[in-house]
Amino acid sequence: MTSTAQAQTSGAGAAHPDHLGHVIFIAAAAAMGGFLFGYDSSVINGAVEAIRDRYDIGSAALAQVIAIALIGCAIGAATAGRIADRIGRIRCMQISAVLFTVSAVGSALPFALYDLAFWRIVGGFAIGMASVIGPAYIAEVAPPAYRGRLGSFQQAAIVIGIAISQLVNWGLLNAAGGDQRGKLMGLEAWQVMLGVMVIPAVLYGLLSFAIPESPRFLISVGKHERAREILTEVEGDKVDLDARVAEIEQAMKSEHKSTFKDLLGGSFFFKPIVWVGIGLSVFQQFVGINVAFYYSSTLWQSVGVDPTDSFFYSFTTSIINIVGTVIAMIFVDRVGRRPLALIGSVGMVIGLALEAWAFSFDLVDGKLPAAQGWTALIAAHVFVLFFALSWGVVVWVFLGEMFPNRIRAAALGVAASAQWIANWAITASFPSLADWNLSATYVIYTVFAALSIPFVLKYVKETKGKKLEEMG
């Protein structure tokens, strides 16, 4: 039976739940994991210089404390799927919420640099889990007619989390008189910045008790009656429940559990399509996007911007990130993936090149000359805008669509791992590279943005409008 025929039989393809608002609430609650993903990833931006000062460490050690969370991210992402299959999606969310909470408290009250690093790893593990479980849960619970729109909640929540973290940091810095080590509530301002994440983390945990388990998981553990109740709740009472349950069971039985061995082949260890996925992941990170979210306050202060203003510019950059993400969500199915990627690459080259030019000038009285300073600021926003409207969204769309069915899960895992490793490489290297030569560092990012253009033109095929079964 074809997928179209199955949809007609079960009524799922046209299911419009009676309580769409409740379904939206379920997806939004699950997407709180994405919000915490974005918040925890970028909140450290407000603490970088204070950590350097408090513990009197150099750029290399500082970079490791910032980047070490990515080790936790990689482990969390690698294990979340198995945990969710064993104990359920909701329990996985609750574990993630506890880890976010514990990490926030530990990071806010560190005894020394080593335990701050440990709590960063714990938070990273939670990020990794949230990055996997949120999209998977939403896809399994959302009615087919709304799956694409509800699935976009995760990415929207991530960029909103980034923006809110920068807004909170800016507000707390102002409350502390513009000093990251100024006193607030008996702690230094940077400690409060890291500790505030307790609030959304606890909210995420509470919300997880208000949403149902995935019908797919319930069917996998034999709880068919409960699965039927939830299917009625999210897909409407006009759906043929027997057909829907049978459809889900059949899909689960026919799934090929791809393994690492399935990816091997070709002349360079992996199959060519796997290398394309790895290439997309690496280029997405090697343009230096996470410098904008982990180090932007430090970057602006290094060229003479007042600390309070530097935090405000980090917030405005995050707003631009949201705008770009919305643009991508609107046009990714209309324009196509490749055109958006190419437009984004050209825009990033321009923005990064202008930043490299501006940073090549000597500081005058500790500041960039006015023209270069404004150029750097505008160019940074241009770079983030073009990244967000293209590579920030398009790469994840490509990775979800481009691989053949029989290797999709394993290939996506390898590509995602490559992304975390590339993210770590950029995050760990930036402070030392910036100390060496800030302008040259941005030249390196510009070169990678430029190289992404021929890479897309030669190796990346358009996936817009194609069925997943056609990928090969």
Side-chain angles (χ1 to χ4, degrees):
M1 183 181 289
T2 66
S3 58
T4 303
Q6 286 174 335
Q8 290 171 342
T9 301
S10 64
H16 294 272
D18 299 325
H19 306 292
L20 180 59
H22 181 56
V23 177
I24 292 172
F25 168 77
I26 291 172
M32 269 297 294
F35 178 91
L36 283 159
F37 177 166
Y39 196 102
D40 194 31
S41 295
S42 60
V43 71
I44 194 68
N45 189 10
V48 173
E49 288 307 301
I51 292 170
R52 187 202 298 266
D53 182 59
R54 174 163 172 169
Y55 297 106
D56 191 25
I57 54 176
S59 294
L62 177 69
Q64 294 309 316
V65 173
I66 306 305
I68 201 167
L70 298 169
I71 296 173
C73 291
I75 298 171
T79 58
R82 293 180 183 179
I83 294 171
D85 284 341
R86 184 158 297 183
I87 65 174
R89 283 55 166 157
I90 298 299
R91 288 285 178 267
C92 196
M93 289 182 197
Q94 290 164 354
I95 291 171
S96 177
V98 169
L99 292 177
F100 274 123
T101 303
V102 170
S103 170
V105 174
S107 298
L109 303 170
F111 298 106
L113 191 64
Y114 68 85
D115 75 302
L116 175 59
F118 172 76
W119 297 122
R120 294 275 300 147
I121 294 174
V122 172
F125 191 94
I127 291 174
M129 291 184 75
S131 72
V132 171
I133 198 62
Y137 173 84
I138 293 171
E140 291 176 357
V141 172
Y146 297 92
R147 186 172 295 140
R149 281 164 285 183
L150 293 175
S152 68
F153 279 24
Q154 175 80 357
Q155 181 64 23
I158 291 171
V159 295
I160 291 170
I162 292 172
I164 295 298
S165 74
Q166 301 310 306
L167 179 60
V168 170
N169 283 356
W170 178 61
L172 290 173
L173 186 72
N174 275 291
D179 182 3
Q180 291 181 36
R181 297 198 62 190
K183 292 296 182 180
L184 281 177
M185 296 180 283
L187 300 172
E188 294 183 4
W190 70 272
Q191 294 176 273
V192 180
M193 291 175 189
L194 299 184
V196 164
M197 196 180 68
V198 165
I199 298 170
V202 170
L203 177 60
Y204 179 41
L206 293 174
L207 286 171
S208 70
F209 287 98
I211 58 178
E213 182 54 87
S214 157
R216 182 185 174 92
F217 171 74
L218 291 170
I219 290 171
S220 74
V221 294
K223 297 183 178 180
H224 289 71
E225 202 53 46
R226 178 59 181 149
R228 290 167 182 267
E229 292 174 10
I230 295 169
L231 284 169
T232 301
E233 185 180 334
V234 299
E235 294 190 5
D237 55 12
K238 296 181 177 64
V239 173
D240 184 336
L241 294 178
D242 290 335
R244 279 294 284 134
V245 170
E247 184 181 338
I248 292 171
E249 285 184 314
Q250 182 59 39
M252 291 168 64
K253 288 177 183 176
S254 64
E255 281 179 351
H256 171 77
K257 296 290 185 183
S258 54
T259 64
F260 186 79
K261 187 182 294 186
D262 293 326
L263 309 182
L264 306 181
S267 53
F268 296 101
F269 193 67
F270 287 129
K271 296 179 186 295
I273 190 67
V274 179
W275 280 116
V276 174
I278 292 171
L280 285 167
S281 289
V282 169
F283 274 118
Q284 187 198 51
Q285 296 300 317
F286 275 17
V287 296
I289 186 58
N290 279 312
V291 168
F293 299 125
Y294 296 163
Y295 295 113
S296 59
S297 295
T298 296
L299 172 65
W300 297 125
Q301 290 173 54
S302 73
V303 293
V305 175
D306 174 82
T308 304
D309 288 342
S310 74
F311 274 54
F312 179 70
Y313 295 148
S314 296
F315 170 62
T316 58
T317 302
S318 300
I319 295 299
I320 292 294
N321 187 34
I322 294 174
V323 172
T325 301
V326 171
I327 292 172
M329 289 163 63
I330 292 171
F331 288 104
V332 68
D333 285 323
R334 299 180 185 181
V335 175
R337 289 75 163 132
R338 283 181 88 235
L340 269 188
L342 292 169
I343 291 168
S345 292
V346 171
M348 289 192 295
V349 168
I350 294 170
L352 289 167
L354 286 172
E355 284 191 86
W357 172 80
F359 292 141
S360 68
F361 285 77
D362 293 331
L363 303 185
V364 179
D365 296 326
K367 297 182 179 182
L368 280 175
Q372 284 72 32
W374 280 107
T375 298
L377 187 61
I378 293 170
H381 286 72
V382 168
F383 163 60
V384 170
L385 175 65
F386 277 94
F387 175 86
L389 65 80
S390 60
W391 286 74
V393 171
V394 162
V395 167
W396 288 110
V397 175
F398 268 130
L399 294 180
E401 295 177 338
M402 65 186 286
F403 301 115
N405 277 338
R406 66 184 186 82
I407 68 167
R408 179 168 292 114
L412 182 53
V414 168
S417 297
Q419 195 166 123
W420 288 119
I421 293 168
N423 187 341
W424 172 85
I426 293 298
T427 304
S429 64
F430 176 75
S432 296
L433 285 173
D435 285 351
W436 163 65
N437 190 315
L438 185 58
S439 177
T441 301
Y442 272 83
V443 168
I444 293 170
Y445 301 153
T446 305
V447 168
F448 279 111
L451 289 174
S452 70
I453 297 172
F455 175 79
V456 171
L457 288 172
K458 184 169 183 178
Y459 297 111
V460 180
K461 296 180 181 178
E462 181 60 76
T463 57
K464 171 191 171 186
K466 292 185 178 180
K467 297 178 182 177
L468 294 181
E469 290 71 25
E470 295 177 34
M471 304 301 169

